[in-house]
Amino acid sequence: MDISVVIPLYNEDESLPELFSWIKRVMEENKFTYEVIFVNDGSTDRSWDVINELHNQNPDTVHGIKFRRNYGKSPALYCGFDRAKGDVVITMDADLQDDMDAMDRFLEKYEEGCEIVYGVRNKRDTDTFFKRFTAEGFYKVMKALGVDIVFNHADYRLMSRRAVEGLAQFSEVNLFLRGIVPQIGYKWTTVTYERAERFAGESKYPLKK
Ligand code: UDP
Ligand code: MG
């Protein structure tokens, strides 16, 4: 099975080398064929240089897409899907908060016939009070507005090729992937995992965002 890992990032230069070696280790241990697509969402730090270095060291495995400005995480993910070649596409954050070990369970669910597997964090211990407050408020407001959304699921998820193609049929311009993916249909499930602290830097979601 070919796996595409799509990673949206905004100013994550410190985490990228660690993130890539982490993915590489898990993929090689499991003998998966894989590619990693980094989507640089208008970073102003050295992220793009780091992506280039990783690409030069792993030309067949690491690919980069660069946005000219900061568009947001959903457009970055969407763009990554477009480029992904795998039978399954796994999306994850760049800050190593998403537990790689949950990926095995994602793949098990896929083998069992699920086309979409949502990573759901079990608790919010590693978040600041501000983050917990804004995040929970966000889910509640979205629900109240009628958006079909999986609680405590950030964008750590597996999608089959069929689900990715289903997503491509939506023509929304102002994308909010977490609200759209549940509308694709197909069989889905959740996998619960423990969310770690950020490897480096701070949340890229201040109140304004
Ligand atoms: N991110 C992005 N564009 C943005 C903001 C964030 O691509 O405008 C990326 C970020 O680099 C990370 C992921 O989206 O890989 C999740 O962001 P963050 O970790 O800051 O969110 P939190 O974990 O605090 O919810
Ligand atoms: Mg994070």
Side-chain angles (χ1 to χ4, degrees):
M1 188 195 337
D2 286 339
I3 301 175
S4 297
V5 183
V6 173
I7 302 171
L9 62 113
Y10 176 62
N11 292 349
E12 306 279 7
D13 58 359
E14 281 179 83
S15 305
L16 297 179
E18 178 73 18
L19 174 67
F20 179 66
S21 59
W22 205 46
I23 295 172
K24 188 174 151 108
R25 191 172 58 240
V26 173
M27 294 294 172
E28 286 177 358
E29 269 170 21
N30 289 287
K31 301 199 165 54
F32 292 137
T33 45
Y34 71 105
E35 62 173 357
V36 179
I37 301 173
F38 289 111
V39 188
N40 179 14
D41 182 20
S43 297
T44 53
D45 66 355
R46 290 194 64 253
S47 292
W48 185 243
D49 297 335
V50 176
I51 292 167
N52 273 302
E53 282 157 24
L54 290 171
H55 169 74
N56 290 337
Q57 289 154 13
N58 312 269
D60 300 326
T61 315
V62 175
H63 306 289
I65 297 170
K66 182 182 178 182
F67 284 0
R68 220 168 284 132
R69 66 168 177 85
N70 180 232
Y71 284 90
K73 186 179 173 183
S74 286
L77 284 169
Y78 202 72
C79 185
F81 283 135
D82 213 41
R83 170 67 178 69
K85 295 198 192 79
D87 306 309
V88 301
V89 180
I90 295 175
T91 54
M92 69 193 313
D93 292 352
D95 56 8
L96 290 115
Q97 287 199 281
D98 299 328
D99 174 17
M100 275 297 277
D101 292 329
M103 238 183 55
D104 276 5
R105 286 181 286 142
F106 282 20
L107 290 162
E108 260 168 45
K109 300 287 180 194
Y110 170 74
E111 304 278 358
E112 286 166 23
C114 291
E115 306 264 353
I116 304 176
V117 186
Y118 297 100
V120 172
R121 51 158 80 191
N122 57 0
K123 46 185 167 10
R124 285 189 171 266
D125 287 5
T126 54
D127 283 350
T128 59
F129 170 77
F130 171 79
K131 183 73 206 185
R132 267 202 310 270
F133 184 75
T134 52
E136 279 166 16
F138 171 80
Y139 285 104
K140 282 179 192 149
V141 170
M142 291 305 262
K143 261 248 130 74
L145 290 172
V147 181
D148 189 5
I149 192 168
V150 179
F151 192 69
N152 270 353
H153 157 67
D155 289 288
Y156 187 24
R157 126 174 41 81
L158 175 150
M159 288 171 71
S160 67
R161 167 74 22 216
R162 199 147 77 110
V164 170
E165 272 155 24
L167 175 67
Q169 285 164 16
F170 284 75
S171 55
E172 267 78 356
V173 183
N174 293 307
L175 274 177
F176 174 60
L177 271 184
R178 268 178 264 169
I180 296 173
V181 174
Q183 298 189 42
I184 302 172
Y186 296 133
K187 188 173 171 191
W188 63 274
T189 189
T190 59
V191 161
T192 307
Y193 70 103
E194 206 150 315
R195 195 158 155 102
E197 306 237 15
R198 256 186 168 273
F199 179 73
E202 287 179 347
S203 173
K204 311 300 184 242
Y205 285 97
L207 185 61
K208 185 159 72 87
K209 280 203 177 170

